[in-house]
Amino acid sequence: MKFYSKLAKDIIPYTAGEQPKDKKYIKLNTNENAYPPTPQIKEVLRNFEYQDLLLYPDPDGTELREELAKIKKTSFKNIFLSNGSDEVLSMAIAAFFDEDDTIAYPQITYSFYDVYADYYRLKKIKIALKDYQIDINDYLGLDGKGILLANPNAPTGMALKTQEIEELVKNNKDKIVIVDQAYIAFSQGCSSIELIKEYDNLLVVETLSKSHSLAGIRLGYAVGNQNLIDALNRIKNSINSYTVNRLSMAVALVAVRDGDYYSDITAKIVATRERVCDALTNMGLFVLKSSSNFLFIKVKNACQVYKELKNRGILVRYFDKKGVNDFIRVTIGQDKDMDLFLENLKDILA
Amino acid sequence: MKFYSKLAKDIIPYTAGEQPKDKKYIKLNTNENAYPPTPQIKEVLRNFEYQDLLLYPDPDGTELREELAKIKKTSFKNIFLSNGSDEVLSMAIAAFFDEDDTIAYPQITYSFYDVYADYYRLKKIKIALKDYQIDINDYLGLDGKGILLANPNAPTGMALKTQEIEELVKNNKDKIVIVDQAYIAFSQGCSSIELIKEYDNLLVVETLSKSHSLAGIRLGYAVGNQNLIDALNRIKNSINSYTVNRLSMAVALVAVRDGDYYSDITAKIVATRERVCDALTNMGLFVLKSSSNFLFIKVKNACQVYKELKNRGILVRYFDKKGVNDFIRVTIGQDKDMDLFLENLKDILA
């Protein structure tokens, strides 16, 4: 580690889910969408003027922000674009937290939050779940600069209602509240975006990775009061003026316009989720109530089950962490893949 | 600036060159390539399996790194990929410098370096140029953690030879030396990449933006000793596991393979540069010896000349900064555009 900064030496980087290259798996481990993105993308790529790639992209991403603003019923000035929602979250921490500031987030949540807190050298208040769910009463009257929540939460998949988030935001007016809505498309009555008009302390982060089957293009965004969006732009423009490339921008534009297609596949995924959840419950398993595109399933010897499923060509996610190491997290795939998963799980547990 | 971190409040972000949307300019202001990228990209986009966009990209970018390694005569383990070379530079500072560490770089250089130094709260040693050129003797025996150089330098366009960089690296073995080779394709005998085998303190940063006419895809990379590359990956994986999207990766792959096409357009740009440089000199103007795809031209009332060129539909770059505010920086475009530029400049100066 010669020449390394203290940060580079000390940090424990995030470990992403496996992206296997060795063989073809039924891939239920990184919460990608079960269905391909809108077929209109085929035409976009076919007709793309490749010569335009010689030019830098629009650093402001105005056209895409305007389109997102229409859908989110806000103005493009309330939208910040970047290279995936992980990057948006990282920039949000830089924008609103200084070293030694305190950030509060759930004990069990997206494990990247620990990495961000360490990277930016924040103090952490990690709040235990109650029955695997976030209790907003635990987030009132806290010390610190702000709160970071995933809604629906990961890897539990459980969601808070909009009114609960509003309660939390309203009672923390002196704090910045960041709500990471990566899985919001698969929930109902849980989005906080409408609250940004009323509350200047709320930043909502979303991504096209899951909802729009576009993990491959890296497109994340934040929605909030213009003051907060300006802070994000100040950070972005101190790192990389052009975080979103031309191709991803063009693809994202047709995707967000094709609401009908995405309503259809979202409905299919939710139906499959409910069916699989029932089947698992009927097998006598404990499954958390999911508002996302994955299920968190309690199984004996979870690590062994994960390994045996992998041997059989089915990749799910296991977290070797106290409190969740008796669960597997399973992305909702297409029906045929979920049937195979159910069959194999039954067989392994028998 | 309610809720802003001190960083977000204090930082003065980078100001990128104009990317005008109001009208069609002859765009000679952001050093994009004069020619389109390889036409093979048309086929790549036409044949791209759009369904694959539902999956995350390979976070390691192995295939593209292996291809770059072949060309750079090194191993893929010596290559770090990210979302444009600005991001690579930012991550390199995070990887090798702690707050209050000292970094040395030229007084006149890529203006983003000041922003990085401020963003990461470094102490700066800014070293004056001599006759507009970097004198490596000024970089021997310095205090501090490391040195950052653009070679060729911007906005001067002037380059140091490989032996000069070697002299500098060899005599600074206790320091990290970062060489930003964004414009190296347009120089001869100046690349430092071969030196990374011998010197563990050298990191070379490059981009496909200028050399490969691909500013629109955002693809930058660093080449160095594996120890340095590991540090960059530790930083990247603490911010965003997937910085390079699938489409940019696919496009970059065919571009770096098509060396013949790029040798041709590079040769054309260099020929145009020399012709335009001679024409300007014959007009009695002082022009720096360029090893890049732009010219730095001393003109009276530079700001006025910039504005008048813009009025006439020709966009060049003017820097309102002591030491360079009597120059305009002009990207080398295609011959017909440069003829128009020369004509108009003559007319304005008359």
Side-chain angles (χ1 to χ4, degrees), chain A residues 217-333:
Chain A
I217 69 164
R218 317 303 301 120
L219 204 301
Y221 54 95
V223 189
N225 182 284
Q226 203 186 325
N227 172 59
L228 303 183
I229 300 301
D230 288 347
L232 291 169
N233 277 314
R234 291 175 67 83
I235 297 297
K236 187 199 83 158
N237 289 322
S238 304
I239 295 173
N240 186 4
S241 315
Y242 309 92
T243 52
V244 184
N245 70 88
R246 282 179 174 263
L247 288 161
S248 295
M249 213 115 67
V251 165
L253 200 61
V254 296
V256 301
R257 278 178 184 152
D258 196 357
D260 289 347
Y261 175 83
Y262 287 105
S263 300
D264 283 355
I265 65 170
T266 302
K268 281 205 258 183
I269 290 166
V270 169
T272 305
R273 179 187 74 202
E274 294 307 308
R275 180 176 72 78
V276 174
C277 183
D278 288 348
L280 292 163
T281 310
N282 290 338
M283 284 164 65
L285 293 170
F286 177 65
V287 187
L288 297 186
K289 171 84 191 130
S290 174
S291 295
S292 65
N293 71 334
F294 55 85
L295 290 169
F296 206 46
I297 308 160
K298 197 167 189 172
V299 289
K300 268 186 198 143
N301 305 317
C303 184
Q304 275 310 109
V305 171
Y306 151 77
K307 282 182 188 161
E308 184 51 32
L309 283 167
K310 188 173 175 187
N311 284 339
R312 294 170 179 222
I314 301 174
L315 212 54
V316 304
R317 190 116 191 233
Y318 166 75
F319 297 91
D320 187 11
K321 184 182 168 179
K322 208 184 151 217
V324 291
N325 57 7
D326 44 356
F327 283 81
I328 53 173
R329 193 196 67 185
V330 182
T331 305
I332 302 300

Side-chain angles (χ1 to χ4, degrees), chain A residues 121-296:
Chain A
R121 298 184 167 105
L122 309 184
K123 290 181 185 137
K124 307 168 195 165
I125 301 179
K126 295 170 74 168
I127 298 177
L129 299 181
K130 284 183 183 153
D131 280 340
Y132 302 101
Q133 173 64 309
I134 294 167
D135 182 341
I136 62 138
N137 293 307
D138 296 336
Y139 294 80
L140 309 180
L142 292 174
D143 285 332
K145 183 79 194 287
I147 294 166
L148 172 58
L149 291 182
N151 191 42
N153 196 15
T156 63
M158 297 181 82
L160 297 167
K161 291 282 168 200
T162 310
Q163 305 92 286
E164 294 176 279
I165 297 284
E166 182 167 14
E167 214 42 43
L168 187 149
V169 172
K170 191 196 291 183
N171 288 292
N172 281 290
K173 284 195 172 154
D174 58 329
K175 292 190 181 60
I176 176 90
V177 178
I178 303 171
V179 180
D180 173 0
Q181 297 196 157
Y183 299 102
I184 201 73
F186 309 100
S187 74
Q188 273 195 318
C190 299
S191 176
S192 307
I193 285 188
E194 62 186 71
L195 304 176
I196 65 134
K197 288 199 174 60
E198 193 162 349
Y199 301 99
D200 69 357
N201 60 327
L202 173 65
L203 187 79
V204 180
V205 178
E206 298 197 339
T207 169
L208 302 187
S209 293
K210 329 288 184 178
S211 61
H212 285 69
S213 318
L214 286 172
I217 69 164
R218 317 303 301 120
L219 204 301
Y221 54 95
V223 189
N225 182 284
Q226 203 186 325
N227 172 59
L228 303 183
I229 300 301
D230 288 347
L232 291 169
N233 277 314
R234 291 175 67 83
I235 297 297
K236 187 199 83 158
N237 289 322
S238 304
I239 295 173
N240 186 4
S241 315
Y242 309 92
T243 52
V244 184
N245 70 88
R246 282 179 174 263
L247 288 161
S248 295
M249 213 115 67
V251 165
L253 200 61
V254 296
V256 301
R257 278 178 184 152
D258 196 357
D260 289 347
Y261 175 83
Y262 287 105
S263 300
D264 283 355
I265 65 170
T266 302
K268 281 205 258 183
I269 290 166
V270 169
T272 305
R273 179 187 74 202
E274 294 307 308
R275 180 176 72 78
V276 174
C277 183
D278 288 348
L280 292 163
T281 310
N282 290 338
M283 284 164 65
L285 293 170
F286 177 65
V287 187
L288 297 186
K289 171 84 191 130
S290 174
S291 295
S292 65
N293 71 334
F294 55 85
L295 290 169
F296 206 46

Side-chain angles (χ1 to χ4, degrees), chain B residues 56-226:
Chain B
Y56 282 96
D58 172 11
D60 302 320
T62 307
E63 199 182 359
L64 179 55
R65 284 162 68 210
E66 279 173 349
E67 199 63 34
L68 283 166
K70 265 188 234 167
I71 293 158
K72 304 294 174 188
K73 299 189 176 62
T74 181
S75 153
F76 78 97
K77 291 178 187 162
N78 296 105
I79 294 182
F80 170 79
L81 287 186
S82 212
N83 188 35
S85 64
D86 286 339
E87 183 174 276
V88 175
L89 288 166
S90 175
M91 289 183 178
I93 306 289
F96 305 117
F97 293 84
D98 287 297
E99 190 173 332
D100 292 327
D101 276 351
T102 298
I103 188 167
Y105 56 89
Q107 179 80 47
I108 301 294
T109 191
Y110 183 28
S111 54
F112 220 136
Y113 299 170
D114 271 335
V115 182
Y116 295 133
D118 290 339
Y119 186 88
Y120 292 105
R121 298 182 165 107
L122 309 185
K123 291 182 185 135
K124 308 167 194 166
I125 301 179
K126 294 170 74 167
I127 298 176
L129 300 182
K130 285 182 182 154
D131 280 339
Y132 302 101
Q133 173 64 309
I134 294 167
D135 182 341
I136 62 137
N137 293 306
D138 296 336
Y139 293 80
L140 310 180
L142 293 174
D143 285 332
K145 183 79 194 285
I147 295 165
L148 173 57
L149 291 181
N151 192 41
N153 195 16
T156 63
M158 296 180 83
L160 296 167
K161 291 282 167 199
T162 310
Q163 305 92 286
E164 294 176 278
I165 297 284
E166 181 166 16
E167 212 43 41
L168 186 150
V169 172
K170 192 197 290 183
N171 288 293
N172 280 291
K173 283 195 174 154
D174 58 329
K175 292 189 182 60
I176 177 89
V177 178
I178 303 171
V179 180
D180 174 359
Q181 297 197 158
Y183 299 102
I184 201 72
F186 309 99
S187 74
Q188 273 196 317
C190 299
S191 176
S192 306
I193 284 189
E194 63 184 72
L195 303 177
I196 65 135
K197 290 199 172 60
E198 192 163 349
Y199 301 99
D200 69 358
N201 60 328
L202 173 66
L203 188 78
V204 180
V205 177
E206 297 196 341
T207 170
L208 301 187
S209 292
K210 328 289 185 179
S211 61
H212 286 69
S213 318
L214 286 172
I217 69 164
R218 317 303 300 121
L219 204 301
Y221 54 94
V223 190
N225 183 284
Q226 203 186 325

Side-chain angles (χ1 to χ4, degrees), chain B residues 130 137 154 169 207 220 227 233 243 300 333 338:
Chain B
K130 285 182 182 154
N137 293 306
V169 172
T207 170
N227 172 58
N233 277 315
T243 52
K300 268 186 197 144
M338 298 317 287

